Amino acid sequence: MKKVYARPAYCMNCHLCEVNCIVAHSRSRDLFRAYKRENLRGTARVIVEERLPLSVAVQCRHCDDPRCVAGCISGAMVKDPETGIVYCQEDKCVGCWTCVAGCPYGAIRPGEKNGRPVPLKCDLCREADEPACVAGCPNRALVFEERRAGA
Amino acid sequence: MPTLSLMPPEFRVARDDNKCIKCLACVRQCGFDAQQYDAEDDRLYAIDANCVNCQRCVSICPAGALTIYKNPPPMRPNAHWTEGHLRNIVKQAETGGVLLTGMGNDQPFPTYFDRLLLNASQVTNPSIDPLREPMELRTYLGSRVEPVTLEECRDKTRTPLVPIETPIMFSAMSYGSISHEAFASLARAAKAFGTLFNTGEGGLPEDLYEYADHAVVQVASGRFGVHAGYLNAGRVIEIKIGQGAKPGIGGHLPGEKITAPVAETRMIPEGTDALSPAPHHDIYSIEDLKQLIFTLKEATRYQKPVSVKISAVHNVAAIASGIARAGADIIAIDGFRGGTGAAPTMIRDHVGIPIELAIAAVDQRLREEGIRNRVSLVAAGGFRSSADVVKAIALGADAVYIATAALIALGCHLCQKCYTGKCSWGIATQDPYRSRRLNPEIGAERLYNLLRGWSHEIKEMLGGMGINSIESLRGNRLHLRGVGLNEVELKLLGVKHAGEAM
């Protein structure tokens, strides 16, 4: 499946992927409303890990055999059999955070939306052609492509 | 340093809090620590005194919340004591040092390109539509000898001509003064477009030898990175005598910029200052220059044309004549607007002559002496548009070098702080945190686009004049007219005033 891959040589630590992620996952899809009215600052589903000068954007790897899905006690976390995308059916989540504890990449963070628990994790912008983090990366440090296993 | 600066900051960073989303991109991207974040109070603020107006934060801000303003002059208006003079004096009173700067001369000297206008065809001669008819921009660089005898045809000491697909090349910028990313962008774009880039005096990094066929490899007074493999890999060899931004003085790349890969490429110890002497210590005359030219030709079995680059100075025509007679195949002349990574401000702003006058003088002199065919003439120093290129070629140049324009295409905003090594745009820096901002894939595309756009425009201008080949424009000064120029200027440029007929 097509996944987001980081190219650390060109990641310049601007964190705009996080901003674009937040806007793409907001109700309004508007930068100012997302931050100023919906208060979504800090809810990015992609996180830029820094060990300067190196930095790299980390998000869900959409594993073949995802531990978050195996561990989910309410059946909220699922892997779409067609697209391979691992995502959370937010209305079913009970906030036990087993997925957060189980993710080997640290790519899931606990969050909340309208007072309900929501695991913050990448869904590859399921409805868009290209994830917002990739589309908005100013230095092409993120690419969305098909790679062979182990490549 | 005194605790109290006598000068208020030159720029002011204005943040629109209604727009700012506190994503901190500005703080992470500012190369000069002007943008700051106070995590305790969750507050962004700016240290205006650090701001150099490089516009990195403004460009990267996703909310469009930032504007940099120039502060009003810190003084009563005074036409003689300008703000620049005041700031320089105060800086020197504090430091006692030589004023340093980067990029080209920014003073309001006349730009003759802006006082030259081009011709176009009307009724009596047809103009050409470059979209419908072939138009030749390919230019051959090198020495064209007089009609030859059979023996001369077999002359093994004649260097080949080098074709370039557009009369625009990238001027010398060394690896060390610019980042590997910027250097690679230039190399890739030159190869993709079929023109040449120039290694500057810093050698060619090992991993970029695949682009060597499109490299002008420079041999400068410091001889950094020069070895037989380097000379034989390049397409053209260039002896750098002078640079338009700093005629008569050498170079100094500070030790902080000599990282391990730069040191390896330059073949000097890591962390040591790379000092290029002002003169070549083996060249004190035209005869000495001839020796070096032929040393280099011997070393490359006469397969590489040799270029000699000088800055445009008062006696440029006579010097160029000497260079042509010394056996150079190409003469590159760098005008007083030419850029630099670091130069003393006074030198940059007050030494040299305009490139327009230098081209005209050199072309005229070489023609009068009947040796114009022996050399190609490459003009450099502040070419801003395709119109400048066309005017330079009409004045007598074969091709031009661009560097500042290329850097602007890569993101440079002319903040003139190249010498600090802190470039926020990842160009004039060796700091891996900063240089990675310039993805060579993107950089090469942008440079390619620039060359493509300019080349298109050159074809349009040629077509308008009824010319279908750049070769037919060279030195064709009848296609130029001056506006607002006095008689001496017109005579030196060899052009008529606008309104005068053929």
Side-chain angles (χ1 to χ4, degrees), chain A residues 7-8 36 41 139-140, chain B residues 17 20 29 42 436 441 445:
Chain A
R7 301 199 293 171
K36 305 260 179 191
R41 185 176 173 211
N139 210 30
R140 290 187 208 156
Chain B
D17 286 329
C20 177
Q29 296 287 300
D42 187 27
R436 64 182 55 235
E441 273 171 33
E445 280 172 26

Side-chain angles (χ1 to χ4, degrees), chain B residues 24 70 87 117 119 126 166 211 328 495:
Chain B
L24 310 190
K70 172 100 174 75
R87 287 193 181 278
L117 291 170
N119 195 24
T166 187
Y211 301 100
V495 301

Side-chain angles (χ1 to χ4, degrees), chain B residues 141-426:
Chain B
L141 297 177
S143 181
R144 293 161 176 78
V145 290
E146 286 92 87
V148 287
T149 61
L150 198 56
E151 289 70 46
E152 282 171 332
C153 279
R154 300 196 185 106
D155 183 357
K156 295 259 173 35
T157 64
R158 286 177 58 196
T159 51
L161 293 169
V162 170
I164 47 176
E165 298 305 321
T166 187
I168 306 164
M169 298 182 284
F170 297 129
S171 195
M173 287 176 279
S174 69
Y175 172 45
S177 75
I178 59 171
S179 62
H180 190 280
E181 286 81 351
F183 198 86
S185 302
L186 292 161
R188 289 187 193 194
K191 183 167 186 175
F193 207 88
T195 183
L196 304 177
F197 73 104
N198 191 312
T199 63
E201 52 183 299
L204 185 61
E206 196 62 42
D207 62 318
L208 294 177
Y209 265 73
E210 58 181 298
Y211 301 100
D213 200 30
H214 293 269
V216 177
V217 292
Q218 225 179 38
V219 176
S221 59
R223 301 286 198 270
F224 299 121
V226 177
H227 53 83
Y230 167 78
L231 295 175
N232 279 294
R235 194 64 183 271
V236 173
I237 299 171
E238 184 167 272
I239 300 170
K240 180 202 174 184
I241 302 289
Q243 183 176 341
K246 41 182 177 179
I249 68 168
H252 178 179
L253 194 63
E256 301 87 68
K257 274 185 153 181
I258 311 292
T259 56
V262 174
E264 194 188 326
T265 307
R266 293 198 173 219
M267 308 191 299
I268 56 173
E270 189 179 339
T272 55
D273 290 11
L275 292 159
S276 295
H280 286 248
H281 285 303
D282 53 355
I283 302 177
Y284 283 26
S285 66
I286 292 291
E287 291 73 17
D288 291 346
L289 177 65
K290 186 172 189 172
Q291 285 198 11
L292 181 59
I293 290 172
F294 281 92
T295 304
L296 294 171
K297 285 188 176 182
E298 283 285 341
T300 51
R301 302 188 183 283
Y302 295 88
Q303 290 309 301
K304 315 285 176 186
V306 172
S307 164
V308 175
K309 179 181 175 181
I310 54 169
S311 20
V313 289
H314 300 177
N315 209 15
V316 64
I319 298 163
S321 167
I323 293 171
R325 290 169 196 283
D329 304 294
I330 300 165
I331 302 176
I333 301 173
D334 199 6
F336 82 138
R337 294 278 185 196
T340 176
T345 310
M346 292 304 124
I347 305 278
R348 185 196 74 172
D349 289 354
H350 301 283
V351 182
I353 64 168
I355 187 62
E356 303 90 328
L357 296 169
I359 303 167
V362 170
D363 180 65
Q364 192 61 34
R365 173 83 176 238
L366 297 181
R367 281 170 190 243
E368 283 167 7
E369 296 185 358
I371 53 172
R372 178 66 181 85
N373 57 305
R374 286 200 205 165
V375 285
S376 285
L377 192 54
V378 177
F383 286 87
R384 304 157 300 172
S385 69
S386 56
D388 288 355
V389 176
V390 170
K391 290 170 187 175
I393 291 172
L395 281 172
D398 287 73
V400 306
Y401 269 142
I402 60 166
T404 302
L407 294 190
I408 292 170
L410 290 177
C412 171
H413 277 60
L414 296 181
C415 75
Q416 309 189 3
K417 298 291 175 206
C418 327
Y419 64 95
T420 63
K422 293 181 179 176
C423 180
S424 295
W425 291 89

